[in-house]
């Protein structure tokens, strides 16, 4: 679209009013066996630098593995698969967090984490960031809504130098996730 810069990497897409550079994706070639076994292994993450007028912004767009594959197996008396799926999700989340490096600078991490803030995996790997909805949202903020599941698993995370001015969970858009819309502003360092 005119006036927009875009980047697509697998299932992830970024649209920005400002040019992007240094797009790099995290590869998961070592998870072929997990994918073939139906345990998961579909996580994706892409790092960008967005050339905003005031400063470059480091943005990470991610989609981590779902616990659904473990639960679906349990319904077929495959309780062992829940543990295997949890182990895989734990490893994928930890590897993605390590790949990001330090949370310094103008870093924003967005996407489908497939876990609520109460998750042990979330607390271990992502709690050092500020969660936009936890700071400024109202209500439960359910982003996954397919009838029997209503939970907030999509997040906008920032470093300490961002201020969350406003955040809302957007309307139903025809898919089973609702968007998280956050208005952020940069806090200049005091001299």
């Amino acid at each position: 679209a005119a006036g927009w810069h875009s980047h697509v990497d697998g299932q992830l897409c970024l649209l920005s009013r400002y040019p992007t550079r240094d797009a790099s994706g995290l590869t998961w070639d070592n998870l072929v066996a997990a994918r073939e076994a139906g345990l998961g292994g579909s996580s994706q993450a892409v790092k960008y630098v967005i050339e905003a007028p005031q400063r470059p912004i480091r943005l990470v767009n991610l989609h981590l593995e779902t616990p659904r594959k473990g639960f679906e197996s349990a319904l077929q008396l495959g309780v062992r698969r829940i543990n295997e799926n949890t182990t895989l999700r734990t490893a994928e989340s930890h590897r993605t967090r390590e790949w990001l490096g330090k949370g310094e600078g103008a870093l924003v991490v967005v996407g489908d984490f497939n876990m609520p803030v109460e998750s042990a995996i979330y607390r271990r790997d992502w709690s050092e960031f500020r969660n936009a909805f936890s700071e400024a949202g109202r209500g439960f903020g359910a982003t996954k809504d397919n009838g029997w599941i209503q939970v907030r698993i999509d997040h906008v995370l920032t470093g300490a130098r961002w201020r969350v001015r406003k955040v809302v969970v957007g309307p139903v858009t025809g898919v089973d996730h609702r968007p998280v819309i956050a208005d952020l502003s940069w806090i200049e360092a005091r001299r």
Side-chain angles (χ1 to χ4, degrees):
W4 289 88
H5 301 271
S6 65
H7 184 268
V8 176
D9 187 329
Q11 64 182 341
L12 300 176
C13 173
L14 173 73
L15 293 173
S16 171
R17 289 282 188 192
Y18 306 112
T20 61
R21 64 174 167 86
D22 299 336
S24 62
L26 176 60
T27 59
W28 289 94
D29 297 336
N30 61 337
L31 293 176
V32 172
R35 286 191 289 274
E36 290 173 353
L39 292 173
S42 62
S43 291
Q44 280 194 286
V46 180
K47 291 191 263 193
Y48 304 92
V49 175
I50 299 174
E51 292 296 338
Q54 302 299 321
R55 78 201 30 81
I57 298 171
R58 293 177 45 223
L59 180 102
V60 177
N61 185 8
L62 60 75
H63 181 204
L64 298 179
E65 184 57 58
T66 178
R68 186 177 61 247
K69 293 172 184 151
F71 294 133
E72 288 170 349
S73 296
L75 294 175
Q76 301 163 3
L77 302 177
V79 176
R80 177 179 59 86
R81 301 287 289 259
I82 290 178
N83 290 334
E84 292 170 344
N85 175 264
T86 300
T87 299
L88 177 68
R89 292 176 51 245
T90 300
E92 285 182 343
S93 176
H94 186 69
R95 180 174 175 200
T96 302
R97 177 63 192 96
E98 290 293 312
W99 175 75
L100 294 182
K102 296 288 182 192
E104 301 162 351
L107 176 65
V108 178
V109 183
V110 301
D112 180 358
F113 287 72
N114 266 313
M115 63 185 88
V117 296
E118 297 84 7
S119 160
I121 299 170
Y122 180 97
R123 287 192 314 266
R124 184 197 69 203
D125 295 335
W126 306 103
S127 63
E128 75 180 81
F129 294 101
R130 295 169 62 199
N131 185 301
F133 193 88
S134 294
E135 275 196 22
R138 292 208 161 94
F140 293 113
T143 60
K144 172 77 170 168
D145 183 0
N146 68 353
W148 67 280
I149 296 177
Q150 294 184 359
V151 65
R152 180 167 52 102
I153 59 175
D154 303 274
H155 306 286
V156 173
L157 307 181
T158 70
R161 300 267 313 272
W162 288 101
R163 186 175 123 231
V164 182
R165 296 166 55 119
K166 181 179 178 182
V167 63
V168 297
V169 174
V172 174
T173 60
V175 295
D176 64 344
H177 286 258
R178 296 171 65 185
V180 178
I181 305 162
D183 182 1
L184 308 173
S185 62
W186 182 255
I187 302 168
E188 291 296 338
R190 294 182 184 194
R191 297 176 197 241

